[in-house]
Every structure is written in structure tokens, then in C-alpha cells.
Amino acid sequence: MRLGRQCQPKLNHLFLCSSLCLATTTVVAQSNQPKVSLQLKNVSIPTFLSQLNKQVKLRFVYNVTELSQLPKISVNAKSQLLEEVLAEAFKGVNVQYRLANGVLTVRSRNTSGNNPTNSEQAHAIGISGTVSDDQGQPLEMATVRQLGTARGTYTNAKGEFVFSIPEPGELIVSYVGMEPQRFKINKPTNLQVQLKPTAGAKEVVVTGIVSRQKESFTGAAATFTGDELKVVGNNNVLQSLKSLDPSFVLVENNAFGSNPNVLPNIEVRGTTSISNDGLKDLYGNDPNQPLFILDGFETTLRVVADLDINRILSITILKDAASTAMYGAKAANGVVVIETKKPVPGKLRLSYNGDFRVEMPDLSVYNMMNSSEKLEFERLAGAFSGYSGDMRYNKLRTNIAEGVDSYWLSEPVQVGFTNGHSIFVEGGDEVFRYGINLNYKKTTGAMKGSGRDTWGAAINMGYRKGKLNLSNQLNIYGYTANESNYGSFSDWVGMNPYYRKTGFDGSITKYVDTVNVGSENPNFEPQYVANPLYNASLPFINRSKNFGFRNNLQANVQLTKEFRIDAGLQLERENTENVNFKSALHTDYRNTDITKKGSYSRTDYNKFYYQGFAMLTYAKVWDKNSLTGNLRSTIEENTTRTIGMSATGFPYNSNGNPAFAFNYTEGGKPSSSVNKYRRASFIGLLNYMYDRRYTVDITYRLDGSSSFGVQNKVLPFWSIGAGYNIHNEDFIRDNYPWITILKLRGSYGTTANQGFGNFSSEDIYTYITGVNLSGQGVELTTIGNPQLTWQTTKQTNLGLDLAILNNQYTATVDAYIKNTDPLIVPITMPSSTGIYQYPINVGLQKSRGVEVRLKASPIYNLKDRIIWNVGIMGAIYKARYDGFFNTLYSLNKEQADNQSLQRYYDGNSPTAIWAVKSAGIDPGTGKEIYINKDGQYTYNYDVGEAVVVGDSRPFAEGTISTGVVIKNFSMNAIIRYRFGGDVYNQALLDRVENISRIALTQNQDKRALYERWKKPGDVSAYKAIKIIRTDEDKSYQTSRFVQRDNNLVGESFNLGYELRKQNTEFIAKLGMQSLRFNLYLNDIFRLSTVKMERGITYPFANTVAFSINALF
Amino acid sequence: MKKYIYSILLLGSLAISFSACNKYLDIKPEDKFLSSQIFDSEINAQTALNGIYLRMSDDNSYGGNLMLTYVELLGQQYDVNSTVNTVHQYSPLGSYVYGSTQALDFAERTWTFSYSSILNANRFIERLGNSKDITTQANFDLMMGQAYVLRAMHYLDLLRLFGPVYSTDSISLSIPYYSRVTKEATPILPANQVMDSIIRDLDVAKQYLQNDPIRNAGPTDIANNRGVEVEGLYQLRANYFTAAALKARALLYRGDKVNAYLESSTLIDECSTYLKFTSASDLFTATPDRIFSSEIIFGLYNHDISKKFDLYFSPSLVDERFLTMKGELLVNVFEGLSTDCRLNPNWILPTTGKTVEAFYKYEELVTSIPLVRKYVQPLIRLSEIYLIAAETAEDPLVGMTYENAVRNARGVHGIEDPALLETSILNEYRREFIGEGQLFFTYKRMNKSSIQSGQSGGTTISMHPAQYVVPLPKSETDSRN
């Protein structure tokens, strides 16, 4: 189990043989002389040896080329002793052989120089010693070799060796999966060698379909262990992953802040699709989201976000074509492969993880006026004209004089406390292993009433007997998610501070004010300002409950030495129930008929998924070659069904029981949908490595899907990759021994993006609500496009891996080009065609990027456990559209009409911000001066003059990290940097300038009062204070609100302390192996060049977390 | 050897599974239908045809905009401009402010929805044309004929609404015409070219429908049908007579009086065997036949028609939503003739809620008997054909007989002076088709420069082409490059 659990033992010996140019055989040593039966005529000596190889359990050491030149031999042995057979075979041939320590060394006697002769051996320098691993366990079959020669030997079962070299030289001791060590030898020596596992060999790339030694893998992939994730934070996998890999980006969601129930948008190496509402499917899947694979099977972002971080063994991000093409039609956005911990044999072990987290809402980003400021602002805006205006002004002034200055923002928030517990039990023997995990996490959000409870149970069983290996993993999981009864945070931000929170008697009033807003309300009704505290006090439900079940069964049989069959079956079933209830007393129902006050809705969603696969693997090693091939076929089916209903008209005291509803929602009927897709795929993989230096990866996948157009139900994907392990070149080994890894790799291939939309090449009809004498009828809801082809992404990747001084300094650099051609864009047709948002293939998106990860450990003292490392990683990404020409004319026009900042024009970035250029506020008039495309200044706003005024994609983004380990104490810090991106500050437009009569009933940004233009000559960033009544008064989207957003975020700080049985008495007394404490600070600060309101409907939070881990 | 056997077996099974995969991948949606499923049998194809009828019941189509609200507001059938205190929600339509939110909204919805229905008809015609073998020749002809009639009907109404004033300008650009489903916008055509296509469609329809059973068996009685045996209710689908009536309507709009007369008089001769004017006595029963069901040439079975009453005409509505005609205007429209059976029981002073008459034509019939006509909405009626014949007859005296036939059927004495014929016919359009959407198009067809305002007090509105022509909606013009 030294090699990391994924490493296939079958491939181990591959390291030894090719490096020494020696043929080897099975690993088990033999003490007694074996008997041999062999009949061979006129064969070369190597052939004889390889035949012999099959009968005796010995290690063979010989040089193929050297021995092939010798005359052919014949053998006729029947159950003879090995010694006798050898003597017979080599009789008359100029060969010298030696049998010692389970190693048979055969040499040609002719070759002089390097080969020790008896006389030379007399002068030889004798070396003996033992080789062990870092735990002190002896290593059998470790190679001991003289540098620059083919001279070598192996250790015996006790890890001992005896060796001699003819003259002073350098000795290299190596073992599979261990870091080789060198020794200068000039006199007879006794060596005590302790080898450490190498990073390189431990790193097996888990692609979810096959596992590959990193050395032979040509794709761009990054693997992180569960421990590495846990160092960043104990919240969720996604949050941790973003700090570790530059290509994995969580797009900041300004609207939803730190809401525990909202899933983040995730990008791996940018985007590939035009994200447009018309393309999103029913569940709003983001078309730019990567594919998630959990223990070999596809899963959803929801499941990953809820996954207990303590269960993670490793996460691998597959980025380029060579690593993702095996996922074909869904892989264009990258693949995230998650492996959970598998039970390890041994005596019963128990471990406990406790995670605790405190979330403190960050209200410092809201820059709102206090009550006297707001009143003054309203006065300046002219809200108090006439007699009634005076009255109102005086009334509010009296309030303020009495000390009313309500801070509403603090009302809906709380310090959220999260606690999570997770228990593992594992044990078993080589034949039968088991593992049980139970986890529960209760999250309380930063807004009152919002929270998320997740739980899960997993039972793992493994059975291994002979050639058969069976494993089964059963997962049961679920969550309950509650949204806050305090509603949207923006309601609270917008509450005027001059209102009292409660009436004089301390009771919560329903309305705090009625304001006459004049013609802005179409019914000339006064605006009733509801007290959000009142609404929050009413019965309220916004809850999702989920229950899921997943079973993975996998089996493999090693048919022969080369062939293996794998098969697996996964079943998954999930139910989610969403319930929404709003009380009849809610102020939204002020003008509603009594039979329609209050609302209730419920949606049930269920999913059934199965996947089955069978795979044939062929692995063979001969001479310097190693070859692995896989053929795999997969079928899968996913069915989702939803059914929903809604009702209205509730009694005032109802707490949400639909039985008390007066009626169904007017015109409402049960909603229902069934979505089913099937996929079948066939994968062929080939990995070839020559001499551990050159490697080639070829992937071919045929993907068939029921959601493709009929004309192209099956699509092929492929990739080819090549790698060059320069560090395995002799000249590097001999001359630059400090280079541990130096590898160049490149790949090219295709993948597609099937993650969105469910297009059809055929027309689709749906039932119309309603009936006539002929019964029901159907109408066209989708016009098929038989010509539509899927978005295919072609990727080129070039990468370099470098590690020096035993991985003390490492660097990984990847550069890529990612072209998606053609894109699928739903275009708007003239309405007379009857077709709405018709998807067509048009244009392309070209992306380019560079990712860098550098790590250094200037202090690396394992013996005293003092380690200091620093790291920096970053990504640069650029994308642009091309080939649209003028096809998206109507879409661009629509974007302009909808005040969107996005446009689709050739040569421009998908994240470009489009707005009219502004020269700022005219100091003379206080009006905004716009700059037309031709550079002319004007007072007239024309949306058609919009140009690119910024780009929301940062030029570079990444993290800087450092970690220190001193004895039992550890410290880690990660700071995110982002620079070169722009942000459109919508809050400035909404809360500083565009304030209408109705908006005056809400509180506004301080800058609206202090920083606006007042009199001619003022140089100000904002227009004069004025109530917006007409379109002319309005401020429009211009470059004035585009700001450069360079920022630094304190993403993670971690302090850890570990107690081990070996060095702490009370741990041993408690029966523990180890006890570990961790303290985390997440998102603790944010330095930004933009002063911006963040967290529109839900505030952001700073978190402090603590975790405890006990191993028994 | 053993290993080769294993691998051959495995590869073989892989190959088999992959060849079976095409079948595996071929799944049909459960909550919707692929068009190949729709056009695999007659009964399924019928649901696609029925879909077009159901669409017509929609508020954006004949169930609202094209019959009850939008076009009637433009025709000044309701008073939306003199309501005291509150501004009527449809007031901008009464004053032809086409740039107003409400007018833009009506135009947008009517346009988009109608063209979407046309798309359905086009696809039906194409797909059924390729699936002849799923049905009998007779049924194939009937289904094709209906689709052609419905397509022509939509185009005619779009042309009349968005096209130029045809009688003075038939070559200006009007609307696009699609005869098949296409993903490219076809050009906007001159009005006369669209008209040619409409007439051609109707001729094709008449050809398909020449053996329509309505011509021999005749329509069954809608008035008393209880919805149990509905097989013979040919008037509730587009039929041969509908095609002929629409053709007469189109020819008249085109100004082709000779052919319009020929078409309308032939139709009257043929269908008078089956269709009779509703007798006044049917209107004074407990379940008054307010829709004159016995003379319907083409009616829509609209399950929601009585809801339209609640939505637009019910006296319990607030003033700014209530659609009605004030009493004095009503007297004016009906020339003070209180015997007119269209006046009573369709216009009644409600006992509560309002102090003006309310329009009860589409009120839900209170009856314990499941009468089909509770849900029937007339689209084309015999009286219109009489009026077409009256207007197009070469001899005014002949025309007068047609006009007087209508007047007499409504319980009003006939006119005696041929000079009054034109005015009388126009007035007939005002009385006969309230809530049936023909008046605005009649004004437009006649290019009236002055029309009666819906405002009470007998005021008139002067009209010019810009008021008669509804501008094409943004969703059409914006996407045309």
C-alpha cells in the first residue's frame, strides 16, 4: 500500500525494468532452489531467460543487447534444479552468472571494462547496507546501482544488499514510488538508506475512468488531497478548491452574498458558451459549469457543494483535451473528479471530525444615510413642496429631534453558527474491508431564519479474493434548506432611518408611513411603506427538503497478467420538495381580494439515474516499452420529473397548511414536466511510454445522446497528447541530479458542451390548456433545427512541470488555446416567423490563457519538523468572439433595449462592458456629457453609441500562500489577488443618481447627498440632486459607473496544532492515535479599489471556523 | 489462448451493445410530442389541427383582441374616453395613440400570436401533405381545407389591421406572408400581393372542402344541442361555407364588388337551406339565444367566453376596466328602434353596479341543461353575407332586399329609399357585430374620414390613414436587419 491506493500494483515493476534496461519478473522471493522443466532448441539467451522467468520466482538481471549477440543455446531439463539447468545451458557459452539474494545476474564474459572480472573484484570497493522507508520498514527489491553504468543489485527481504564497485563512484539507491538517493563512494562503506516517497510517484492522476501514473500522463491536471483542501477551510469543497488551483474560479455572486443555499457559478478555464436565459434549461444549469464526477459517476453541483469535506480523498481538476476528451460531449468546461475515502484494511479504526463555524455579516460595505442626512437629501430633492410637504417635513424633523435614527440593517442579520460532525469507522483485512461514515452539518446563515442542514451516511465494502475485486458503496444523504423569513436584504437596506421600528407602545406596526408619490403610482394611490419587521413576524415558509440515495457497485477481474475487466453499476434516486408560503397578512396583499390573500406553492422534483459500464484493460510492459489500452462502453439514463401546484386565499391565522387554502391560484393548473435523456458512449484509450522518457496518450470517444439532433445522434471526440520526461534522460540524471522532474507535455483534442439546453432537430408539440368539442389540442412549442450541430471546443495545451531539489521547489506552467466553434446562440427572429429565440450555430469564441503554480520550501527539515513553504499561483485568461458578422444584429439591439451591458460583436471579449462613453459631469450645468463613437461631445444620450468601456474579467487572478510547520504547530495563509478587471457599479446608478419619487421612500447612498453637483463650477462625479420624473432626467449606463476593481482578499488563514500518541502522554491515555485542532479565518478582509455595495439580497459574511480531528 | 477468448467475447459484446445503442437512444418525450408522433395517425393529426382552434380562443386572438377588445376599441364600439374621475385603461386606443403602452401591447400580442397560429397552420399543411396515408382522402381533404381557411382568416385580419387603407392604397407594404415554415424572415409585401395570396388560399380551401358534408347534410341545430352528439356541428369548424364567406369578405375588402356579389349571393342561395335567421322569439326565453346561433357560419367553441364577460363587460368591474356604450349612444346606434332584437336582451341596464347599460352578449347562460351554445363565439355570420350582397349588388333595389332581410329578421322595418342603403348598411355593421370585430375594418374599408365616436354625446372623430393603419410592432421591425 506504499504507492498510494490508486496505483495499480500491476504497473509497479515497470519502473525498475526500463530504467535499468533489465528484464525482471515477479516480486516474490524464493528461498529454496526451484525445480525447472524446460525444452528449448537454438534460442537466444534472453529468450531462454524469459522462459525460465515464467517458472522461477527470481529477479533476473541481464543486458538484452549484450546477451543477444552470443551464440544460441539449447536446453532440455525435466524437473531439474535451477543450478543444474543453468550450468547445462551456459555450458560452452562465454557467460558468467551469479545467483544471490534471489537475484540471477547473467553477463557476457567477453565484455571488458565495465564488467568486473575476478581480478577487478579484488580491487573493488565493497559496499553493504540496508534500505528502508521513512517509517523504518525494510524495502525489499530496492535497486542499488552505480551511476553511469549498468552495474546494480537488489535488496533482499530484510532490505539488505551487498555490492561492489571497481573504482570510486556514485551510487544511486531507488525504489518504486520513492525518491532516489545518491551516495559518493570512495571507500568500503556500510550504508543505512532511508527513502522517502516521491511526489511524482504518489501522484497518480485519477480521471474517474482510468488511473494513470503522472509520469506517463500528458494532460493538464491538478490533484489535491483531502488534507490540502482541509488546510484552506472546513466549509465546503468548492470554496477550498478555488484557493488551490488558478483555473478553478468561483464567480463572485454579488446578489446572493454568503447565502448558504445558493450555488456558486463555477468556471474552469473561463467560459465556452454564451450564457443566455434562453439557453438555460429548467433547472437553470449554468452552461459554463464543469462536469463533476464523484467516485467515477457523474454528479451535480448540489451534491458536491453539500459533500462532507472530511470524506474527500482527492480532487482532480482535468483541464485540457487530453484529460477531458474521455468525457466527450460534456467536458468542454473541464471535469472535476472527486474520490472519496475508501476503507483501508487493518484493525478497527475510528476517527471523529468536528467542524464549527461562525459567520459574521459584513455590513461595512453599505454606505447608507442616517435619518437627518436622508431628510436633508429629500428636502434638497424637493420632496416637501407645498403645504402638505411642509407638514410632512416638520413631522419627520420632530421624529429626528426625538432621536429616531433606526439602523434597519442589523435587524435581519445574526451571527450564524455552524456545527458539523463526521465519524468514520473502518477496518477489515485484505479480503474484506469496510468503512462507515456518518455526517451531519447544521448551518445557520448570516440572515435570520436562513439555514441549511445536511446529513449523509455511507457504507463502503470491499472484497478481494484471487483475481476478483468487488466493492460497493452505498450513500444516503439529504438536506433541508430554509430561506430567511426576513426576505431580501435590499428591503432592509432601503428602509428610511427616520422611521421608528416599533410603535410607541413597542408593538410592531404594519405600515410605517404613507407617502403621496403623485403620478408615479398609476392609480394615484399613496405609497404604503410596509414595516419589514411586520412581514418578518408572519408565518413564512421557503423550504427545500431533499432525500437521496446512491449506490455504486464495481467489480474487476484480472483475467491474465495483461487483461483486466472492470464493470460498474450506479443507481441514484433523489427527491426534492420545495414549499413556499406567504401569509395572507403580508403587506403585498394590501389591495388583494380576500379570496386571493396569501399564497402557497409546492413543487416536487424527483430524479432517477442509472449508469452502467464495462471496461477492458490491457497493460503490457516489455523491454523499454509500456503500453496501456482501455476499451470502455457506458450507458446511462437520467429521468427527472417535477409536479407542482399552487393555491391562494388563506385564513389570517394560517401557518401554511394548504388544506386551508380557499382555491387554486386563478387559472392555475398542476404543473408537470418529465425530462429524460439517455446516453451511450464508447471510449478507447491508449497510453504508451517508451523508456520512461517519451509518452503518448490517445483518446477516442463516441458519444451518443438522445438529446442530440436526429441527424447526428452520435458524435466522435478525440484527443492526442505527448509528453517528454526530460528528467529521465541520462544526461540530466548524471549532470543535473538536483532536477527531480522536468517534463514537457502537449495535447490537442475536441470536447463538447452538452450541459445546456435540450435542443431537438424535430418539431415539438405540447398540449394547450383548454378544451373544445374536439377535445384537447397541441401546438408547436419548438421548431426543430436539423442542421444544428453541437458546440465543439478544440483545445491545445502546452505544459511544463519542473521540480528541483527533491520537490523543494516546484513549478507548473500551462498555456492553452480553447476555441469553441461554432457557438449555439438563440437568435431573435422577426415575430412574424412565429419562432422565438431560435438556436443557430454561429460565430466562435477563442480563448487563450496561461496558468502558473509555483511552490517553494526554503526550509524543509523533516527530521525536526520545521517546514516553511511559500506559493504563488495565477491565471491569465482572454477570450474574444469572432465570426458573428452581423447575424446577431437583433440580439444586440435587444441587449441595448434591455439596458444590458453585454453585446456580441466580433473581436470583442464576452465579458466586455458596453456603455456610452462619458466625459463626466459638466461643471457648468451639472449635466452629463456623453462622448459619441466619433469623439464628439454631446448632452444627448444614445444607446447606439455604446462602446467597450471595460472588461469584467480580471487580467490576472490567483492566490499567494504561505505555510509554516514547526513541530506540532502549523500555520497557513492564502491571499487572493485580482487585478485588471472592471466592474459596473450599478449601486451608484441606482442609489446615488436615479432616484425617483417612489425611490425616495427608500434610503439611499450617502454619496447621493454629499458628492453630487450643487452649483456651477463644482467638479463632481455625480449629477445634481433631482427627483427623476422623465426619461431626460434619468442617468444612463455610461462609462462613468465603470470602475477598475483591483482587490486583495484575505481568503484563508489557518492555525493548526497536532498531538500524537508518540509524543503526548494523555493522547495515548485516551486511546487516541492523534488529536488535531485547526482554527480558520475565511474572507476576513477585502481591500478593493471600488467602494461598492456587495450582497444585494443577502449580505456577505466573514467567517471564523474551528475544527477538531481525533483518530482512535 | 484463454485470454484471447476473453477479449474476443468482451469486444464482441461491446460491439453488440454499441449497435443496439441507436435503439437505446431513440426515446420519445413523455410530456410533449415530436412531430413524427403527431403525424403518425389521423387522430393525432386532428389534435394538431384542433390546437389551432384552441389558440383562436385565446385572449390574444379571436377570443379577445380580434373580436371583443382591441379591434372593437379601434372601431369606437365602447366608450373609453369620457369616463369621469378615472382614466379608462384603454383610453389611448380610443384616441388612436399607437405609441402608447397599451396600444403597443395590443399590437404586439395580436401580431405575435396570430403569426404563431399561422406557423402552426403552415407546419400542419406541410406535414399532413407528406402523411397522406394516415387518413382517408375525404378526411385528408377536410383537414387540409380547414388549415387553409384558418390561415387565410388570420392573414386577412392581420392585413386589415396592419395593412394600408386598401381602397386607396393597395400597393404599400403591409405584412409578410409565409406559405411554409421557414427560419428566415420573408419580405414585407405590398397589400395587394398579400390579398392575392389570401384569395388563392381560400380557393384552395374551397377546392378541398367541396365535398364538405355541411353542403349536403347541412349543419345541425346549435341552439338546442346539448353537447352529447356533436358529430354534425360543422359550423364549429372551418367549413366550405366559411371559405366562401371569407372569400366574399376578402373580395369586398379588395373592392372587387362584382366577384364579391357573385360569391355572397351564391353562398346565400346555397346555405339558406341550412342556415336561417334566428327568430326574435328565441331571444325572449329563459335561455336567450344572444349569439343568434342558427345563423352562424363559423363559430368557435370557446370554453372561456363567459369569462370574457367577467373580464370586460361585467357591471361589477371598476369604471376604468368596464367596456360599454352609454345609453344615449346606444339609442343613436339603434336609431331609436327599441324593437331591435339585438338591443334587448344584449344591452340591459344592470340592477346594481352601474348606471349605464352593460353588454350581456357573452354572459354565461344560467341553465341546468348542458347547452353547447353556452360556449359558442360567433366568428362569421349569415347576416354579414347578406350585407356584403346588399353592398355589392349592382342594382340598389336588389341590394335593398338583402339589407331589408337582415333588418326584418332583427324586428325592424325595412328601408324604402335606395339612397339610404349605404348608411343603413354601415349602421347595420355597428349594430350587428358588437363584440365581433368587424366595424373598424368596415370604416377602414370605406375609408371613412369621419366616424362616430364611442364617447357619448354623438361626437364624431375625423379619421385619416395614419389612424387606420396600426404600425408593425417592435418585435417585427427590430429584428429585421
Short mmCIF file of all heavy atoms in Angstrom, two decimals, chain B residues 143 197 204 208 297 321 343 383:
data_model
loop_
_atom_site.label_atom_id
_atom_site.label_comp_id
_atom_site.label_asym_id
_atom_site.label_seq_id
_atom_site.Cartn_x
_atom_site.Cartn_y
_atom_site.Cartn_z
N MET B 143 -59.33 18.10 -43.58
CA MET B 143 -58.33 18.68 -42.67
C MET B 143 -57.49 19.74 -43.38
O MET B 143 -57.23 20.82 -42.84
CB MET B 143 -57.43 17.56 -42.11
CG MET B 143 -58.15 16.70 -41.07
SD MET B 143 -57.36 15.10 -40.85
CE MET B 143 -56.09 15.49 -39.70
N SER B 197 -52.65 36.27 -52.24
CA SER B 197 -52.36 35.00 -51.56
C SER B 197 -53.54 34.53 -50.73
O SER B 197 -53.83 33.33 -50.66
CB SER B 197 -51.15 35.17 -50.65
OG SER B 197 -50.04 35.58 -51.39
N VAL B 204 -58.09 27.40 -52.77
CA VAL B 204 -57.58 26.05 -52.48
C VAL B 204 -58.48 25.39 -51.44
O VAL B 204 -58.88 24.22 -51.58
CB VAL B 204 -56.12 26.12 -51.97
CG1 VAL B 204 -55.66 24.76 -51.47
CG2 VAL B 204 -55.21 26.64 -53.06
N TYR B 208 -60.62 21.90 -51.59
CA TYR B 208 -60.51 20.79 -50.64
C TYR B 208 -61.85 20.49 -49.99
O TYR B 208 -62.16 19.35 -49.68
CB TYR B 208 -59.50 21.13 -49.54
CG TYR B 208 -58.06 20.79 -49.87
CD1 TYR B 208 -57.09 21.78 -49.88
CD2 TYR B 208 -57.67 19.48 -50.13
CE1 TYR B 208 -55.76 21.49 -50.16
CE2 TYR B 208 -56.36 19.17 -50.42
CZ TYR B 208 -55.41 20.18 -50.44
OH TYR B 208 -54.10 19.87 -50.72
N ILE B 297 -72.13 30.86 -39.44
CA ILE B 297 -71.45 30.11 -40.49
C ILE B 297 -70.21 29.45 -39.92
O ILE B 297 -69.89 28.31 -40.22
CB ILE B 297 -71.07 31.05 -41.66
CG1 ILE B 297 -72.35 31.50 -42.38
CG2 ILE B 297 -70.13 30.35 -42.64
CD1 ILE B 297 -72.12 32.50 -43.48
N ARG B 321 -62.05 49.74 -16.17
CA ARG B 321 -61.89 48.49 -16.92
C ARG B 321 -63.17 48.10 -17.68
O ARG B 321 -63.16 47.20 -18.51
CB ARG B 321 -61.55 47.34 -15.97
CG ARG B 321 -60.23 47.54 -15.30
CD ARG B 321 -59.89 46.38 -14.37
NE ARG B 321 -58.63 46.65 -13.71
CZ ARG B 321 -57.45 46.41 -14.27
NH1 ARG B 321 -57.38 45.84 -15.43
NH2 ARG B 321 -56.34 46.71 -13.62
N LEU B 343 -80.89 44.71 -29.46
CA LEU B 343 -80.77 45.63 -28.33
C LEU B 343 -81.12 44.92 -27.02
O LEU B 343 -80.42 45.03 -26.02
CB LEU B 343 -81.71 46.81 -28.56
CG LEU B 343 -81.57 48.01 -27.62
CD1 LEU B 343 -80.17 48.59 -27.67
CD2 LEU B 343 -82.59 49.08 -28.00
N SER B 383 -75.70 37.05 -41.57
CA SER B 383 -76.08 38.44 -41.80
C SER B 383 -74.99 39.22 -42.52
O SER B 383 -75.27 40.09 -43.33
CB SER B 383 -76.44 39.12 -40.47
OG SER B 383 -75.39 38.93 -39.55
#
